Amino acid sequence: MENFNISSEHLQQLEDEAIFIMREIAAQFERPVLLFSGGKDSIVLVHLARKAFWHAKIPFPLMHIDTGHNFDETIKFRDDLVKEIGAELIVCYVQDSIDEGKAVEETGVNASRNKLQTVTLLDGIESHKVDAAIGGGRRDEEKARAKERFFSHRDDFGQWDPKNQRPELWNIFNGRKNMGEHFRVFPISKWTELDVWQYIMRENIKLPNLYFTHKRKVFERDGVWLAHAPFMELKPTEKVMEMDVRCRTIGDITCTGVTLSTANSLDEIVAEIASSRITERGGRADDKRSEAAMEDRKKEGYF
C-alpha cells in the first residue's frame, strides 16, 4: 500500500502540472492545436485536456498528420474518439504533399513516409495559422527529446534550435513570438513510459487494441519486428509469419516496431514495461537511420 500511495502522489503531481500547462496554452495562444497520432501519449493528452476544461469542450482542435500508411485500428479509434467527445478534427494528408510535389516518395525496401510528415505538418501549421502545436513528446523517449522545453520555440521556417531555447523557471512559460513563428508544447514532457501506463490504468483510459497482445502478420528486419502491409517491399530473405505481438508506440506502419508479447491487460503491460531493458523507441526503425536521426528531423520541423 505504501508503494501505491507514492505512485499515486507522483501521478497526481504529473497530472496537475500537465493540466496547468494546458490552461497556459489556452491563455497565451490564439490558435493552438493538439497533435493527435492515435497513440497512447496523444490519447493521454486528450484526456488531460478534457480534465483541464471540464465541463466545456476542449477549446482547440485535434490535428492528425495522416501518412496514408496507418494501422486501420488507429484511424477507427481516432474517428470514434472525436465523435465521442465532440472535438474538431483537422486531417492533413502526406499524400497531398506528394501530389503537390512538396515531398518525394521514398522507394526501396526501407521506404517510409515518416520523414515526409514534416512537410505536411509545417504546411498544416501555416495554412491553419497555428501558433502552438501540443505534442506528446517525453524526455525519456530519445536523447533529442530531452533537450526540449515545455514551451519549445520554432522559428518562421518551423525549425528548432536546441541552443536557443528559453529558460523556464518556477513554471513561468514565455509564449511570446514574432510573426510566423510558433511553439511546440509538451505537457507530459516529464512523464516516463511507465508513468503513462500507470496513469492510463488509474484513469481507465480507452486505447486501440494494438497496444494489447493480438495475432498479426509480421516479419523481422535488422532485429526489429515489423507489421506487414501490402505496400511494404520485402527483402528476399524476409519471411512473413503470424505471431502474438503488441505495439509499445504507434506511428507509420513502415517504421513502427512491434513487440513479441503475451501482455493482454493493463496490469500485465505495466509489469512488462517495468521489467523491460529496451527503450520504447528501441523498436522504431526510423530512429535507426543514423545516430542523430531524431534530432536532425526535429531541427527540420518534425514533431
Side-chain angles (χ1 to χ4, degrees), residues 58-156:
I58 299 174
F60 34 73
L62 277 54
M63 176 181 279
H64 182 208
I65 308 302
D66 189 337
T67 67
H69 292 168
N70 302 286
F71 290 93
D72 291 339
E73 296 92 330
T74 303
I75 300 302
K76 183 179 187 306
F77 185 92
R78 178 199 72 186
D79 294 342
D80 289 347
L81 178 63
V82 167
K83 183 177 179 180
E84 177 186 341
I85 68 176
E88 178 187 353
L89 174 66
I90 299 170
V91 182
C92 303
Y93 297 96
V94 170
Q95 186 63 53
D96 290 343
S97 299
I98 295 170
D99 293 343
E100 293 166 7
K102 296 179 178 180
V104 179
E105 184 91 77
E106 294 182 1
T107 58
V109 293
N110 292 313
S112 173
R113 289 185 171 183
N114 193 57
K115 187 176 180 180
L116 306 187
Q117 293 181 85
T118 299
V119 175
T120 311
L121 171 62
L122 293 177
D123 279 352
I125 286 172
E126 182 178 3
S127 63
H128 292 279
K129 296 181 171 55
V130 172
D131 54 4
I134 307 164
R138 304 189 324 270
R139 292 175 185 172
D140 73 320
E141 284 183 272
E142 201 274 345
K143 56 189 177 184
R145 300 281 200 199
K147 298 180 182 180
E148 293 278 18
R149 300 288 195 266
F150 283 111
F151 277 37
S152 184
H153 176 264
R154 297 298 196 269
D155 65 20
D156 53 356

Side-chain angles (χ1 to χ4, degrees), residues 143-149 152-155 157-165 186 294-302:
K143 56 189 177 184
R145 300 281 200 199
K147 298 180 182 180
E148 293 278 18
R149 300 288 195 266
S152 184
H153 176 264
R154 297 298 196 269
D155 65 20
F157 294 103
Q159 296 176 332
W160 172 65
D161 181 359
K163 297 179 180 179
N164 188 29
Q165 296 297 306
F186 303 103
M294 171 64 84
E295 183 156 337
D296 291 341
R297 293 200 305 273
K298 285 175 67 62
K299 288 178 180 177
E300 295 169 359
Y302 186 74

